[in-house]
Each structure stands twice: as structure tokens, then as C-alpha cells.
Amino acid sequence: MSSTLKVFRVVLKERYKSPTLELIVPAMIAGNVMIPAFLIRGGFQPYGLVLSFIPMINVSETAAIALALRNVIFVTGEHVYQGFVSSYLTMPVSRTSFFLMALASDVVIPLFVFLAIETVYLDLAGILNPYSSSMLIIFSAGYLFSTGVIYLTTFLLKSPGASVLTSIFLLSAIFVGGGVGEFGLLISKNLNFLPLISWTNPYVIAVAETLLPSRYFGALANALTLGVLTDLILGALLYVITLLYFRRMDL
């Protein structure tokens, strides 16, 4: 156990050496300025709060994703590309243990920091309510799915540039394409097929919940729940596939 903790400390130190957290944490805190800005424009209505949590609009979310992407591709990925990971495997740690350490450092810690900052901010601002809490859950599910995609493409392509471009292309296609499809179904009031693509962009459904008449709430809530659960399941599957691939890699 002590040797495992020593390796984990080394892994953490690589990813969070100064001034990484000194830059990211203030950026996440400052990024919350978009929440009151959208609440004011929305007349403090629920849809204003939901809009303020859409990725790319919410700076805090963008910072968390950017930190995870940097960790996965330019730290863990670089070790794999250059063969440096072999030096870790000479220590008393298995490939599975090393992968889980890297996953915790690369993905879990940025998400934990984000959720801690957002929860404290929302509570102090008096807007920690079911809407804001649900948006944190939606982001967490999408974040885990997105980082799962980044992890798998990083290990498969073994090139920083190709991994970045492929990950951004795939995630953008899913997020934008799914959002357009969901918007079309919502406009036509054809909600029967909405659960099938709800995982691609749950934010569109979350916004619709705050705008459409209450008679649609049940169908939208079910689609949103299914979308979040699907993102979590897909993310877990992507991590498992990446782990199985890593265990069989020639290093």
C-alpha cells in the first residue's frame, strides 16, 4: 500500500505542479460570473439558470474539461507515446493500478474541484436549487462520457495532435448534431424518439423543460434522465475498453 501511495503522489505531482491549480481554480471561480449574468437577462427564471450551465458558455465547465484534456493527452498520453510509462510499471504497481491512478488524477480530480467550487458558490449565492443541482449532474455525466472518448482516442491514435483533433471532432459532432436533432423533435412536438438521442445533448432537453407547457414535463424528464444515465454508462464502457487495451499494449 505504501508503494502504491508513493506512485500515486508522483502521478499527482506531474499533473498538478505549480502553477496548474493556482490558475485553474481562480478561472473556475471567476467563470461563475456568467450565472448571474444569464439570470438577470432571464428575469431570474429557471431557463436563465439552465442556459448559464451550457458548456462553452460556462467558463468553469470549460476550464474543467480543458484541464482533463490536457492531463489525458499531454501527460498520460505523452507517457504512452514516448514509452515513459514503462518506468512506472517497473515499480511495484500493476497496469490496472497505474491506469486507475492516472484516471483519478486526470479526470476525477478536475471534476471534484469543479463540483466543490460550484456547490459552494451556488449555496452562497442562494441559488442551489433543483435546477442548478440537476445541471451539475448533467454536466458530470457529459464530462465523464467526453473524457472517456478522449481517453480511448488518445490510447488508440498515440499522437497528441491527432488525439486532440479527433476528440474535438467526435464530441462536437455528437453535441451539435444531437442538439439539432433534439431541437427538431421538440419543435415538431414529436417526443417519442427523443429518448433515443437524449444522451447526445441533454442541455437542449433541460432548456425545453423550462419553456414548454407542463403537459410535456413528464416526457421531457424521462428523456433527460435516460440521457444522463446513458452518458454515464457509455463513459464507464469507454474507460473499461481503454483499460483492456492498455493492459495488452506493447510498452
Side-chain angles (χ1 to χ4, degrees):
M1 179 62 69
S2 59
S3 59
T4 301
L5 290 176
K6 289 179 181 177
V7 175
F8 189 46
R9 281 198 294 267
V10 173
V11 171
L12 283 175
K13 187 175 181 180
E14 275 189 316
R15 288 149 180 79
Y16 299 103
K17 59 185 177 182
S18 183
T20 301
L21 291 178
E22 288 87 340
L23 294 174
I24 290 296
V25 171
M28 287 184 178
I29 296 174
N32 286 314
V33 69
M34 298 305 297
I35 297 177
F38 271 84
L39 282 175
I40 292 173
R41 287 184 63 85
F44 290 91
Q45 295 300 314
Y47 75 87
L49 182 61
V50 172
L51 286 174
S52 70
F53 275 94
I54 293 178
M56 303 311 295
I57 292 177
N58 189 297
V59 179
S60 298
E61 293 178 349
T62 305
I65 295 173
L67 178 58
L69 187 146
R70 168 258 190 185
N71 287 343
V72 175
I73 295 179
F74 296 104
V75 182
T76 299
E78 193 66 26
H79 286 329
V80 174
Y81 311 145
Q82 303 297 332
F84 298 148
V85 70
S86 299
S87 60
Y88 286 99
L89 300 180
T90 60
M91 303 177 186
V93 59
S94 66
R95 289 197 181 201
T96 299
S97 296
F98 175 78
F99 181 86
L100 294 176
M101 291 179 196
L103 182 62
S105 302
D106 295 343
V107 174
V108 177
I109 289 179
L111 179 60
F112 175 80
V113 172
F114 167 79
L115 291 176
I117 290 174
E118 293 304 293
T119 301
V120 171
Y121 173 83
L122 293 170
D123 185 47
L124 292 176
I127 49 177
L128 185 60
N129 53 45
Y131 285 104
S132 58
S133 298
S134 66
M135 295 310 295
L136 293 180
I137 295 173
I138 291 171
F139 170 77
S140 299
Y143 170 92
L144 293 173
F145 167 72
S146 299
T147 51
V149 171
I150 296 171
Y151 243 104
L152 184 57
T153 55
T154 297
F155 277 73
L156 288 177
L157 299 179
K158 302 177 183 178
S159 166
S163 298
V164 171
L165 292 176
T166 303
S167 297
I168 292 177
F169 175 78
L170 288 174
L171 293 174
S172 298
I174 293 171
F175 190 77
V176 176
V180 171
E182 291 171 359
F183 184 74
L185 292 175
L186 290 167
I187 290 295
S188 64
K189 301 297 190 296
N190 183 9
L191 305 185
N192 292 329
F193 295 100
L194 189 61
L196 298 177
I197 60 173
S198 58
W199 62 275
T200 59
N201 192 338
Y203 292 94
V204 174
I205 303 174
V207 173
E209 272 191 317
T210 65
L211 296 176
L212 292 181
S214 58
R215 65 178 180 273
Y216 296 107
F217 182 81
L220 292 174
N222 291 335
L224 184 59
T225 301
L226 180 61
V228 170
L229 291 175
T230 302
D231 275 342
L232 290 172
I233 293 171
L234 289 175
L237 286 175
L238 288 168
Y239 291 131
V240 170
I241 293 171
T242 307
L243 170 59
L244 294 176
Y245 179 78
F246 175 64
R247 290 176 61 178
R248 290 165 174 78
M249 286 180 63
D250 292 328
L251 298 173

